[in-house]
Amino acid sequence: MNLKNYIKAIVFILLLANTSLAYSQNSSISNNAQISVLTRGSGDELYSTFGHSAIRVWDPVTRTDKVYNYGIFDFNAPNFYLNFVKGKLLFKVNKQDFSRFLYEYQYEKRWVKEQVLNLNTEQKQQLFNYLEKNVKPENRDYLYDYLYNNCATKIIEVLNISIGKDITFNEDHLEKNFTFRELLDQKLKTNTWSSFGIDLALGSKIDKQATILQHTFLPDYVWSQLNNSTIKNAPLVLSNRTILKEHKKVNSINFLGTPMFWSFLLLAFVAFITYTDYKNQLWSKWIDAFLFFVTGLIGLILTLLWFATDHTATANNFNLLWAMPVNLVALLLLFNKQNKKAKLHIYSIISLILLLVVPVVQLTGVQKFHPAFIPILLSLAIRYAFIWQKTK
């Protein structure tokens, strides 16, 4: 072999060795590696209100410190907003450096806690292999569901699939089982538009009691569940630590911008107009048209969310008892030149009866309604009663 071919052979062997080494580094971890679950506190935006969960793999031997994050979505993805509305939103898992992952939460001043899992070498390798397979482009996408398939539920799923035969998720650590809505409310302030919107858009499906494991759609409950789980009769969590401390925020709410203020303002306005109409023998149909249009439009959206999307939580929505899409039809009856008083009279009676069903639904626990709905319901009741009186 001449010198030139000899050098080529050496280069080829070195490249092959480097390739093998890289593959080995990517496909195996050392005995000293640690795999942990990261839990992070709430952020200011609605999508970050409920916290976040991820998995960290740290290996001092291979100098690996990566985070596997199942909470990634792309605003620029084709038809992102349409898919979101239709309930067909794809999330993905990605792998990034722990330092880069942590920087965002340092900037936002959100706390981060870590649970190091009590795994042997074989279990670590099984979990690592699953994560590495899952992060490949052909495997990384999943159909997101905010109650049943999100970044937090993925933690339990990953552990179950990779090493589930060794893990027991004990379910005796909670004194009470909450409904899904109660769990959401734990992270939301009542008199906010976020809470108002959730109680408007999500139906009675989320008023059923969640199982203990279903509580883990919230990261805080993943944390408590892992602390109450075992692996081959030993604690699943080896140690807990706080990586970033909580920075307490004082978020003052301007009452003038809250749903409660605006719903009571609507009630006061409707009551004033109705009193004026009754006193002066008038009929301000424009206020009825406004109420019919707004509630009818809301009802149409809620109906589409129930029947035309794959969202599981928007079904069986009893807000349709007061936000009725047929109010858009009733709107036409108000200004029809033909004599439609009889139809409006019957419609007002039916509408009043349906409004009376709302507190029954609330009291029986079938569906919880937002407190700010009460002034809205009273506003509708006042006008339906006025229409009933005017069309007798």
Side-chain angles (χ1 to χ4, degrees), residues 166-320:
D166 298 327
I167 297 178
T168 301
F169 294 106
N170 301 307
E171 300 184 26
D172 56 359
H173 59 293
L174 299 181
E175 295 182 359
K176 177 185 176 182
N177 283 42
F178 295 98
T179 68
F180 287 101
R181 196 183 302 273
E182 288 170 339
L183 289 167
L184 291 172
D185 287 344
Q186 291 175 9
K187 289 293 184 177
L188 296 168
K189 293 183 179 180
T190 301
N191 195 17
T192 60
W193 290 107
S194 298
S195 177
F196 181 92
I198 285 174
D199 283 343
L200 180 63
L202 305 188
S204 61
K205 288 277 189 178
I206 70 168
D207 288 284
K208 71 174 185 178
Q209 193 177 71
T211 66
I212 298 298
L213 276 179
Q214 284 175 337
H215 282 59
T216 60
F217 83 93
L218 290 179
D220 287 351
Y221 284 93
V222 174
W223 172 271
S224 60
Q225 179 63 68
L226 294 182
N227 281 333
N228 194 56
S229 298
T230 56
I231 184 163
K232 291 187 174 180
N233 297 319
L236 177 59
V237 175
L238 188 64
S239 63
N240 296 315
R241 75 182 182 110
T242 299
I243 298 175
L244 292 178
K245 293 184 179 180
E246 180 178 6
H247 292 260
K248 292 187 176 180
K249 303 175 184 178
V250 179
N251 294 325
S252 59
I253 298 177
N254 182 2
F255 182 70
L256 298 181
T258 62
M260 194 68 75
F261 170 79
W262 284 100
S263 60
F264 271 110
L265 184 64
L266 174 67
L267 175 59
F269 184 70
V270 167
F272 174 76
I273 295 297
T274 305
Y275 172 76
T276 303
D277 280 353
Y278 183 79
K279 182 180 179 181
N280 299 315
Q281 294 297 305
L282 300 173
W283 186 353
S284 300
K285 291 186 178 181
W286 60 268
I287 189 67
D288 298 319
F290 171 77
L291 291 173
F292 282 178
F293 176 76
V294 173
T295 57
L297 184 60
I298 292 172
L300 181 61
I301 294 171
L302 297 183
T303 303
L304 290 174
L305 285 174
W306 180 349
F307 294 103
T309 74
D310 291 337
H311 289 296
T312 57
T314 56
N316 303 343
N317 194 337
F318 285 91
N319 282 308
L320 288 168

Side-chain angles (χ1 to χ4, degrees), residues 10-64:
I10 292 177
V11 171
F12 175 78
I13 292 172
L14 289 174
L15 288 173
L16 181 63
N18 286 334
T19 302
S20 300
L21 179 59
Y23 177 80
S24 176
Q25 288 176 339
N26 287 331
S27 61
S28 64
I29 52 178
S30 72
N31 295 337
N32 296 324
Q34 287 185 348
I35 300 182
S36 57
V37 173
L38 303 173
T39 304
R40 294 167 296 175
S42 302
D44 295 328
E45 302 298 329
L46 179 59
Y47 69 85
S48 63
T49 297
F50 304 101
H52 190 58
S53 297
I55 297 176
R56 179 187 182 188
V57 176
W58 175 67
D59 191 343
V61 176
T62 60
R63 297 181 180 180
T64 297

Side-chain angles (χ1 to χ4, degrees), residues 368-383:
K368 175 188 171 185
F369 299 98
H370 196 276
F373 293 171
I374 296 174
I376 298 174
L377 297 178
L378 291 174
S379 300
L380 290 170
I382 289 172
R383 291 311 295 183

